[in-house]
Amino acid sequence: DAGITQSPRHKVTETGTPVTLRCHQTENHRYMYWYRQDPGHGLRLIHYSYGVKDTDKGEVSDGYSVSRSKTEDFLLTLESATSSQTSVYFCAISESGLAGGSETQYFGPGTRLLVL
Amino acid sequence: QKEVEQNSGPLSVPEGAIASLNCTYSDRGSQSFFWYRQYSGKSPELIMSIYSNGDKEDGRFTAQLNKASQYVSLLIRDSQPSDSATYLCGSNQFYFGTGTSLTVIP
C-alpha cells in the first residue's frame, strides 16, 4: 500500500462546528487530492494541491478549504459543517498531475464523517 | 451529463465467465484512464491504467480504450468470487464514474 494515512478515520460532529481532516503521505508525491464519495455520485474532487501552498478547486469545493504547508500533509477543513457534508472522504496522491504519465492516483483508507 | 459515465449495474456473472464493464467520457482532452476496484467499506485500488488506443492486458484483466468513440472498457476473464466489488472508471481529468457493482456467483 502507498504510504497514505488519514485522520481521524471516523468522526461524528454537529452542524455548525468546524472540522479538519488530515492526510499524511510518506511517498513524497507532489500532488494530493481530497475527494468525497456518496451513493449515486461516486467520487467527486473537492480540492487538490500541486505543491506546497499551491492548491486549486475541484468539482464540489463550496464549503471546504484546504491547506498544504508541507509536502507530506494536506488538510481539509469544513468551516461550518452541514448535514450535506456527511460523506466518506478520501485523500489521494499522485506523482504528477493531469498528463505526466505518472498521474495514477493512490487512495488513503478514508474518513467517515457524520454531521448531525 | 457527468464527465465520466458508467452503468451502475448491478452486474452478475457466474464464476469462470467474462465480466464486461463499460465507461464513456465526454471530455476529449482526457488522455489517460484508470480502472479501480473498491471493496465495500474500503478505498479504491488501482487495477489498470491505459493511455493509448487499443487493448492492454494484465493477467485476467484487459482494458480497452477507443478515443474516437470515447469509451473505455474492462474485461475480467475467468471471473472469481473475489472479483465481486465495485469498479470505478476514472480519467486524468480527476473525474470518476459512479461505479459498477459486480457480483460473481460461485
Side-chain angles (χ1 to χ4, degrees):
Chain A
D1 292 344
I4 311 169
T5 56
Q6 293 184 231
S7 59
R9 294 292 313 280
H10 303 271
K11 186 170 182 65
V12 180
T13 191
E14 293 187 350
T15 297
T17 60
V19 177
T20 295
L21 308 183
R22 178 180 183 241
C23 177
H24 179 78
Q25 61 142 332
T26 59
E27 305 296 322
N28 201 35
H29 282 3
R30 180 181 174 192
Y31 285 75
M32 298 185 75
Y33 313 83
W34 277 108
Y35 289 90
R36 59 179 291 175
Q37 187 173 38
D38 306 285
H41 292 281
L43 281 166
R44 291 180 292 175
L45 182 67
I46 304 171
H47 282 280
Y48 70 100
S49 170
Y50 46 96
V52 174
K53 299 190 188 300
D54 293 323
T55 65
D56 205 350
K57 296 179 179 180
E59 182 183 358
V60 290
S61 59
D62 288 349
Y64 302 95
S65 63
V66 291
S67 66
R68 191 169 178 198
S69 58
K70 297 185 291 186
T71 298
E72 58 266 34
D73 289 326
F74 193 32
L75 303 180
L76 176 71
T77 297
L78 291 64
E79 301 291 347
S80 178
T82 67
S83 58
S84 64
Q85 293 176 311
T86 291
S87 187
V88 179
Y89 291 85
F90 286 103
C91 173
I93 64 174
S94 67
E95 286 185 324
S96 65
L98 290 176
S102 301
E103 62 268 31
T104 300
Q105 295 183 42
Y106 300 94
F107 287 84
T111 294
R112 291 185 177 276
L113 177 66
L114 174 61
V115 183
L116 300 175
Chain B
Q1 180 187 6
K2 284 183 64 69
E3 296 289 336
V4 176
E5 302 253 17
Q6 292 181 253
N7 290 331
S8 60
L11 175 66
S12 293
V13 299
E15 184 174 354
I18 295 175
S20 177
L21 307 166
N22 300 308
C23 171
T24 59
Y25 63 94
S26 60
D27 186 353
R28 287 193 176 274
S30 299
Q31 299 175 15
S32 48
F33 299 87
F34 309 91
W35 282 100
Y36 289 84
R37 177 176 61 201
Q38 187 176 24
Y39 292 115
S40 180
K42 301 296 185 182
S43 59
E45 56 179 331
L46 182 72
I47 299 176
M48 296 277 287
S49 59
I50 186 165
Y51 305 92
S52 304
N53 274 327
D55 296 358
K56 179 182 178 182
E57 186 175 318
D58 184 1
R60 296 186 296 111
F61 299 95
T62 299
Q64 300 173 318
L65 173 59
N66 184 321
K67 292 187 177 181
S69 301
Q70 295 178 248
Y71 85 78
V72 192
S73 64
L74 180 70
L75 300 178
I76 306 174
R77 292 181 299 280
D78 188 23
S79 295
Q80 301 297 308
S82 59
D83 294 327
S84 297
T86 295
Y87 290 80
L88 304 173
C89 173
S91 77
N92 66 308
Q93 302 291 340
F94 311 141
Y95 291 109
F96 287 83
T98 54
T100 299
S101 176
L102 171 67
T103 300
V104 180
I105 303 167

